[in-house]
Amino acid sequence: MTGGELTLGAVLARLEEREGEITAQAEATEEQIAQLTAQLNELNRAAEEVRINRKTLLELPDPQPSAPPAPKLPDHPAYQQIMAVFAPTIHCGRGRSARRWT
């Protein structure tokens, strides 16, 4: 036997060593797959939540424009006096006040 030839025992030992390396790589790859699967599931869940939120928002009715705020009335006593003078004609209606002036 020359120095370049391997014995059967050496070949078997090398194959066993290589099998161990491949098994270790396979286990590491399986762990990576498990981590990536968990990450993919989380991303799919987040995307589904976004789809549900978008669908919910699209189903909401368009908001109606709000009424403009009521004008602020003056606090001045003269304003109150003027309103007191016109209050009887305001409350009695147009028809009655129109007949009164004709």
Side-chain angles (χ1 to χ4, degrees):
M1 206 174 356
T2 63
E5 293 180 21
L6 295 173
T7 65
L8 181 58
V11 171
L12 291 175
R14 178 67 184 121
L15 288 175
E16 190 174 330
E17 182 182 317
R18 182 67 182 131
E19 181 184 6
E21 291 170 357
I22 292 171
T23 301
Q25 288 177 344
E27 289 172 356
T29 302
E30 286 175 348
E31 179 60 33
Q32 288 176 336
I33 290 172
Q35 291 172 354
L36 290 172
T37 300
Q39 186 177 5
L40 178 62
N41 289 338
E42 180 62 26
L43 290 171
N44 285 333
R45 186 194 60 75
E48 181 63 20
E49 287 178 0
V50 169
R51 281 190 289 275
I52 291 169
N53 287 334
R54 183 179 61 236
K55 181 181 175 186
T56 301
L57 290 173
L58 288 172
E59 290 175 354
L60 292 175
D62 289 336
Q64 299 299 324
S66 60
K72 184 169 176 359
L73 300 176
D75 291 341
H76 197 275
Y79 175 79
Q80 301 299 330
Q81 291 171 348
I82 293 169
M83 291 307 293
V85 168
F86 287 108
T89 54
I90 291 172
H91 293 295
C92 66
R94 286 194 125 151
R96 209 168 165 184
S97 62
R99 279 184 259 143
R100 198 171 92 190
W101 293 103
T102 57

